[in-house]
Amino acid sequence: MSDEQLVRPALVSGFPEWLPEVRLVEQRWLDEIRQGFERYGFCSVETPSVEALEVLLAKGETSQEVYTLRRLQAEAADDGDARLGLHFDLTVPFARYVATHFNDLVFPLRRYQIQRVWRGERPQEGRYREFTQCDIDVINIDHVPLHFDAELPRIIHEILTGLDIPAWSVNINNRKVLQGFYRGLGIDDPLAVIRIADKIDKIGTAGVEKLLATRLELTPAQIRSCLDLAHIRGRDAGVADDIRRLGVTSELLAEGLDELSFVLAELSDLPAGSVVADLSIARGLDYYTGTVYEGKFVDWPDYGSICSGGRYADLAGSFIRRHLPGIGMSIGLTRIFAKLVAEGRLPAGPSCPSDVLVVIPSDARRAEAGATAALLRNRGYNVEVYHQADKLGKQIRYASRKGIPFVWFPPFEDGKPHEVKDMAGGEQVTADPRTWARP
């Protein structure tokens, strides 16, 4: 093949991929996340990567992010596939799933879903066009008890603590507080303010102030009160008093403050700083109606959220005539991984899952090497047989490069014992594949 025929093997921007040693850590983390969800009784659900566009756009505000599907050879008049799109999150597909299988599900439904999602965003640090989300949601008929608003961040805290990632905190707010506060200020469109306030970590206080003035034409006093609210932080129910001191009142605000105080009190036993009430957290998606969450790295405050979610009143109601409120949180696994890789903070492991490499002393001993590997595999070990008879030094170097912790030597001659080498300590001892136990 000539140079002109070669296709440049370039990675498409916004679609991360990992080397084997990083991917192996990711898979182990996925196992830990799954086990963490299941410890609390959440069941696994998986939905198709593709949904009808009317499903994906049921709430309407993310149309610019949706990738649509179309066959390369599709005829101009064939628009069937053009009404399909890749899901941009897992919450909307889950709501559709609940509506589809409503009569076969047991409520309240605790589900977890670990899948890749796609968003048409401009690739940059922390923002990708393909990434893995790990979601948990509780959805119920008519009412989801408020204690779930505290249980979900507790589960996420337990999982992230177990993964031993750099310092982070889960920031909590309540959309009722925001909407009730803005209504108390006499603002007619609280959701419009929420969408702008949600940009404060991206464009700063001055940027939000300008947008509130130019786009919504709020008065200087209204803008000042909105910004005063956004700057409130607290670790306990005392944050509600800070908000009341701003002098704004409404029934919805009072309801939201009660809910926020309850959640903070329920999580008060967690380590100081791991859960923080942050009134700048808004969550831009319109379907959130109560508690909202955003988890952030402490050392990288400008980096995107590593977990997020919130309570929604009736997302599934777009697809079925039943009131089905829910609450959910998501771990942004790809965003966490990418940052730790970039910062050299990922605890990288070996580049393969093998516990043992069985060497091939000679072509005549290949069958015995295979039989030895089979014995070890049957006893629960991950075992790789070297691919050909070669110099022992080369086979040992192969194990070292891949991070395989033990090298097994079948007998080189009849009547000789098996031996195993500990690659970390260098010790080589006789061993029986039927009884050997990894130190």
Side-chain angles (χ1 to χ4, degrees), residues 127-269:
R127 292 191 176 273
Y128 304 96
R129 293 188 278 186
E130 179 184 53
F131 52 96
T132 299
Q133 282 193 185
C134 309
D135 279 25
I136 46 172
D137 281 77
V138 178
I139 199 166
N140 196 29
I141 300 170
D142 295 331
H143 174 64
V144 176
L146 189 61
H147 70 80
F148 283 114
D149 293 47
E151 181 176 275
L152 264 58
R154 183 178 295 278
I155 295 169
I156 298 300
H157 178 274
E158 184 177 297
I159 290 171
L160 294 183
T161 299
L163 296 178
D164 196 27
I165 64 175
W168 50 273
S169 67
V170 174
N171 303 318
I172 299 180
N173 198 359
N174 192 297
R175 290 283 286 263
K176 292 179 182 178
V177 172
L178 297 178
Q179 289 184 253
F181 188 88
Y182 300 150
R183 287 180 184 175
L185 290 174
I187 296 172
D188 295 330
D189 190 357
L191 285 178
V193 181
I194 286 176
R195 294 189 199 104
I196 292 175
D198 191 50
K199 302 177 186 294
I200 196 167
D201 62 335
K202 302 179 183 67
I203 63 176
T205 300
V208 169
E209 182 178 3
K210 181 179 179 181
L211 290 179
L212 292 176
T214 58
R215 290 189 183 180
L216 303 186
E217 298 182 345
L218 300 189
T219 68
Q222 288 174 324
I223 294 172
R224 184 168 56 253
S225 293
C226 290
L227 295 177
D228 287 344
L229 177 69
H231 289 140
I232 291 178
R233 305 282 188 279
R235 297 180 178 179
D236 54 38
V239 74
D241 295 330
D242 294 335
I243 297 170
R244 293 187 184 101
R245 277 192 283 270
L246 296 178
V248 178
T249 60
S250 75
E251 289 186 11
L252 187 62
L253 172 59
E255 184 180 339
L257 289 177
D258 288 343
E259 292 181 1
L260 180 60
S261 298
F262 173 84
V263 173
L264 293 173
E266 287 289 299
L267 298 173
S268 61
D269 61 303

Side-chain angles (χ1 to χ4, degrees), residues 69 104 277 285 378 395:
L69 297 187
D104 300 311
L285 296 174
N378 288 337
Q395 297 188 55

Side-chain angles (χ1 to χ4, degrees), residues 384-422:
E384 180 178 347
V385 178
Y386 193 73
H387 51 278
Q388 64 186 25
D390 214 331
K391 293 179 180 179
L392 289 181
K394 188 173 182 179
Q395 297 188 55
I396 293 171
R397 284 194 298 274
Y398 173 83
S400 178
R401 290 188 64 192
K402 294 187 71 174
I404 301 174
F406 295 93
V407 176
W408 197 281
F409 302 91
F412 282 43
E413 301 175 9
D414 292 338
K416 297 291 185 180
H418 291 258
E419 293 186 359
V420 61
K421 180 182 180 68
D422 183 336

